[in-house]
Amino acid sequence: MATHVTTPGVTTEQPQVLRTRMKPGRWARELGWRHVVGVIAVVYAVFPIVFIISASLSERGTMTGSNQLFRTISFHNFEALGGTRFWTWFGNTLFVSVTTAVGTVLMGAAASYAFSRFRFKGRRTSLTALLVIQMFPQMLAFVAVFLLLMTLGQVFPVVGLNSKIALICVYLGGALGVNTFLMYGFFNTIPIELDEAAKIDGATHAQIYWTIVLRLVAPILAVVGLLSFITSFGEFILARIVLQSQGNWTLAVGLFGWVSDQLNANWGQFAAGAVIAAMPVLVLFLFLQKYIVGGLTAGSVKG
Amino acid sequence: MPTTAPQLDPAERKRHRTSHARDYGPGFIVKLVLMAAINALGVYGLLACWNAGAMGLFWGLLVLLIAADYVYFSKRALPGKYIYPGLAFLLVFQIFVVGYTVYVSFTNFGDGHNGTKEQAVTALLAQNERRVEGSASYPITVVENDGELGFALVTQDVSICAGAQVGDVCVGTADEPLARVDGAQADGGTVTSVPGWRVLTFQEIVTDHQREVTELRVPVSEDPESGSIRTTDGRNAFAFMSSLEWDEDAGTMTDVTTGTVYSPNDRGMFEAPDGSTLNVGWRVNIGFENYITAFTDARYSGPFVRILVWTIAFAFLSVVTTFLLGLLLAIVFNDERLKGRKIYRTLMIFPYAIPGFLAALIWSGMLNRSFGFINQVLLGGAAIPWLTDPWLARLSVLGVNLWLGFPYMFLICTGALQSLPGDVMEAAKVDGAGKWRQWKSITMPLLLVSTAPLLISSFAFNFNNFTLIYMLTRGGPRFSDVAVPLGHTDILISMVYSVSGLDGTAARNFGLASALSIVIFIIVGTISAIGFRQTRKLEEVM
């Protein structure tokens, strides 16, 4: 059954072209220069990353000390992170991003399923409304978010200012607007006959949703979850406004503080923190490249 | 069609006829438990709102709770069961906040106008207190509980502690007026122990809490007009009375020392006949004034226009530069014979896989004038002010965004190039079109059709790319000729952040900040709408 489903946007490898050995002149003209461009592009793309890795391994913590690449190799900066709040921030960020990603997937998938499978009054209007809402970034309303949480906090401190749960709620508020279309299109590619067959066999709508449809749309769930994870991982302005005490900060807020206060003094420590902070996203990205690329070309932008 | 219907035993037949909603299976029990929990939380929330007097929240929560119960227990709201959770969050944290932004943009909400009129009256009465001339002094003891400080005293004058007899011990804090406590012990005029409180020694007051103690104001009763007691030395307190008098019937404030009468004006302030105002006001509706300020007040309109122009230029140039570089690389690598394409691609998308805030912070270090890698190593010690010269800072912002954004464009251009229809190209070749002609008339238009919507969203994203700007330059270098803290690389969203005062650098002005947010909404919305319409035209041409 699952073989009917293809992931949109994922490019399949082109069939191998039979190669005959080219003359060097022709090779240089047609392919060689492409390698030259490729090497330049790769150097441009990775040198800041090489620099930050080298800085994280340098013995001294200052920026001047990090300019000579890989002069010294020491894990001093990484060890020093233990004496800071770095790991608290790291944990907070993972907690916020993972919860947001799971919530986004659950809510987005459920709404897309309803839009894709049921015909109800106001369906077209709601879809159009979502398209319009999508154009207004939630981040722009940060003043109102601040005021809303301030008021909420007077009644329920759990979802007031300085609460990670509140930040997650704010992120989840944007879950439907951004992702419904991405998922809705994918749900439409799953033949509705499957649902009907299951219904005839006596399955309830909940059984059809949880045990049949959700499994078939797993690729898009992964893409939406990842994009949501990456977006909330690096989100700064709302996190900065909502999370007020240092113990609740996320990495974006905390690391910004390190670098903006004393650029030169904390540089080594910042570099080590940056290397660790970049790891989760980088690893996810590289392993799941082709799915993410598919999701991107289906219409979403980096956040 | 089978001619004989399968024979079902009666029990099974019955199950098929009943509605799914009546199927009391494990799913139903899960639903029941979840709904019970939600209802319990909801009712608790309703009570909390009622007690706190937050009626707006109360009604909002009530509507959401009733809707939830209707949707999950009715047989007719099947789609609602799937849409409700996302919709609830969307309504509260997106639609409501956007609506609230519109509301705030029409008010003078901000420092000096933070709350309601009643709150302003209370604050004014408290802030304008003066020591009552020749009043008696009350020996007090400073007590502390979990970081909160309070005064304890042995009652001699029953007028300052309601309901207490002479000799009783009273305790009060900044929030709780003086009230009698049972079980406290006193030695003469000095309180020695109070249940639930720790008595601070004089030494502790002097070394750790001196400022807090001298700033502490303990009200005598709930009524702000009855004054408070304060201390200067931590041992003796004096009665303080407000120099203002609130006349509730006339709605005016009277300064008892000068006799000046302040009456409320339509700007949310108490104003004297000579035009002077008291320093705390309240929130009122001021119509379009914030919008007018943004466009005409010399303090804001000048920087606003410059920032608007730069924001559009920044978003536009970011899209163009990243798209061109991405497209160029996509073309270069769109040759199946090229070995190692996968490795090149993986390494090239590294910048895209680094969280944007980290990338901007790393670049801000590398572009540092005195110690940065670019100046020190690549340019051999040149002290080029990459982030502190207005034009170089703008160039740096665009350059860093190019580094951050080109892999995305590379990916989508590669995807678009690979999905071009081969037969059209073939036909063009047969018709004798040259390489350039094929490119100009077929490849480019087809490529634009599939990438244009993404370019528009990329424009909208960069229009609000707060993280990049704030991490890299914080909007700096500052405008030298402008009083408000704004700078040459500020974009509209970072201007809103500064104006709102939430970063702590300026007085809070929520009204103006919200008005600016609305202006951005309108600009981005209009540009996106026009862009999407143009894209559709492009598709029709094809």
Side-chain angles (χ1 to χ4, degrees), chain A residues 11 14 17 19 26 30-31 33-35 37-39 41-42 44-49 51-52 63-64 67 69 107 110-111 113-115 118 120 130 133 135-149 151-152 155-156 169-170 172-174 176-177 203-206 209 233-234 236-237 240-241 251-252 255-256 260 263-264 267 270 274 277-278 281-282 285-286 289 293 296-297 299-303, chain B residues 20 45 48-49 52 54 57 61 78-79 82-83 85-87 89-90 92-97 100-101 104 109 325 329 331-333 335-339 344-358 361-366 368 371-374 376-378 399 402-404 406 408 411-412 418 454 457-458 461 464 466-467 470-471 474 493 496-497 500 502 508 510 513-514 517 520-521 525 528:
Chain A
T11 51
Q14 303 278 330
V17 180
R19 271 196 214 96
R26 187 159 169 241
E30 290 190 7
L31 290 179
W33 69 276
R34 292 177 200 262
H35 284 289
V37 176
V39 169
V42 164
Y44 172 59
V46 298
F47 99 87
I49 298 164
F51 165 73
I52 204 69
M63 198 186 289
T64 15
N67 279 339
L69 298 180
M107 286 178 188
Y113 174 70
F115 281 122
F118 303 126
F120 51 92
L130 276 177
I133 291 163
M135 290 207 294
F136 295 134
Q138 188 191 26
M139 174 183 94
L140 258 180
F142 64 84
V143 171
V145 168
F146 174 82
L147 296 173
L148 171 68
L149 294 184
T151 317
L152 273 177
V155 184
F156 321 107
C169 289
V170 173
L172 287 183
L176 224 51
T204 64
H205 66 86
Y209 174 67
F233 196 94
F236 176 74
I237 187 166
R240 166 92 170 203
I241 285 168
L251 284 171
L255 290 185
F256 171 73
S260 70
L263 195 58
N264 202 21
W267 188 252
F270 163 76
V281 178
L282 194 69
F285 207 97
L286 293 181
Q289 268 197 57
V293 172
L296 288 173
T297 43
S300 89
V301 201
K302 188 184 189 187
Chain B
H20 300 314
C49 289
L57 281 184
L61 187 61
L78 186 52
Y82 289 90
I83 300 179
L87 193 64
F89 277 94
L90 182 82
V92 177
F93 290 102
Q94 185 141 14
I95 295 177
F96 174 78
V97 292
Y100 198 57
T101 307
V104 173
F109 202 169
L325 183 58
L329 291 171
I331 295 168
V332 170
F333 289 100
D335 191 320
E336 289 127 36
R337 297 167 302 173
L338 193 70
K339 281 182 193 164
Y344 281 130
R345 189 174 96 159
T346 307
L347 288 173
M348 252 193 301
I349 61 171
F350 257 65
Y352 189 63
I354 303 280
F357 78 93
L358 283 177
L361 289 176
I362 294 169
W363 275 98
S364 82
M366 294 208 305
N368 184 291
F371 317 107
F373 188 80
I374 305 274
Q376 282 295 314
V377 180
L378 295 187
L402 175 64
W403 183 82
L404 269 166
F406 88 88
Y408 170 70
L411 289 175
I412 63 172
Q418 286 178 352
L454 299 174
S457 2
S458 171
F461 170 77
N464 294 316
F466 178 83
T467 311
Y470 201 71
M471 300 280 177
R474 274 192 167 189
I493 177 86
V496 175
Y497 188 62
S500 75
L502 285 172
R508 294 179 177 197
F510 297 144
S514 298
S517 291
I520 305 180
F521 276 153
S528 305

Side-chain angles (χ1 to χ4, degrees), chain B residues 170-383:
Chain B
C170 288
V171 173
T173 65
D175 302 324
E176 292 289 322
L178 285 171
R180 196 168 72 89
V181 286
D182 292 320
Q185 286 169 2
D187 172 20
T190 327
V191 180
T192 50
S193 82
V194 186
W197 295 88
R198 196 170 65 82
V199 174
L200 290 188
T201 63
F202 187 65
Q203 191 58 37
E204 279 177 301
I205 296 170
V206 173
T207 51
D208 302 332
H209 301 286
Q210 193 165 26
R211 226 195 56 209
E212 292 161 76
V213 169
T214 51
E215 281 173 3
L216 183 61
R217 164 188 183 276
V218 176
V220 167
S221 80
E222 296 280 0
D223 177 11
E225 277 186 85
S226 55
S228 64
I229 57 167
R230 300 183 194 195
T231 180
T232 47
D233 57 6
R235 286 175 166 162
N236 293 295
F238 300 95
F240 276 63
M241 292 292 270
S242 182
S243 60
L244 291 172
E245 201 166 67
W246 170 231
D247 183 341
E248 198 158 2
D249 298 325
T252 56
M253 279 284 192
T254 311
D255 189 329
V256 284
T257 50
T258 61
T260 320
V261 178
Y262 294 85
S263 32
N265 63 11
D266 58 3
R267 317 258 329 135
M269 302 282 270
F270 285 109
E271 190 181 306
D274 65 357
S276 62
T277 53
L278 296 176
N279 58 354
V280 180
W282 59 95
R283 203 161 72 199
V284 289
N285 204 320
I286 55 165
F288 282 92
E289 200 169 295
N290 286 318
Y291 294 88
I292 296 169
T293 304
F295 288 101
T296 60
D297 184 323
R299 276 174 309 158
Y300 294 102
S301 63
F304 176 67
V305 172
R306 284 155 84 175
I307 288 171
L308 176 65
V309 171
W310 160 242
T311 309
I312 294 173
F314 162 71
F316 180 75
L317 289 173
S318 290
V319 174
V320 171
T321 51
T322 51
F323 180 68
L324 288 182
L325 183 58
L327 178 62
L328 181 87
L329 291 171
I331 295 168
V332 170
F333 289 100
N334 194 31
D335 191 320
E336 289 127 36
R337 297 167 302 173
L338 193 70
K339 281 182 193 164
R341 275 204 303 171
K342 243 189 161 159
I343 300 171
Y344 281 130
R345 189 174 96 159
T346 307
L347 288 173
M348 252 193 301
I349 61 171
F350 257 65
Y352 189 63
I354 303 280
F357 78 93
L358 283 177
L361 289 176
I362 294 169
W363 275 98
S364 82
M366 294 208 305
L367 290 167
N368 184 291
R369 181 184 176 155
S370 335
F371 317 107
F373 188 80
I374 305 274
N375 278 342
Q376 282 295 314
V377 180
L378 295 187
L379 300 173

Side-chain angles (χ1 to χ4, degrees), chain A residues 2-67:
Chain A
T3 50
H4 290 293
V5 185
T6 52
T7 318
V10 174
T11 51
T12 44
E13 284 302 311
Q14 303 278 330
Q16 286 282 305
V17 180
L18 279 177
R19 271 196 214 96
T20 47
R21 190 164 280 281
M22 274 190 260
K23 289 205 177 89
R26 187 159 169 241
W27 183 88
R29 211 168 49 244
E30 290 190 7
L31 290 179
W33 69 276
R34 292 177 200 262
H35 284 289
V36 175
V37 176
V39 169
I40 295 172
V42 164
V43 168
Y44 172 59
V46 298
F47 99 87
I49 298 164
V50 173
F51 165 73
I52 204 69
I53 293 173
S54 144
S56 73
L57 293 171
S58 82
E59 207 149 70
R60 277 187 295 166
T62 60
M63 198 186 289
T64 15
S66 339
N67 279 339

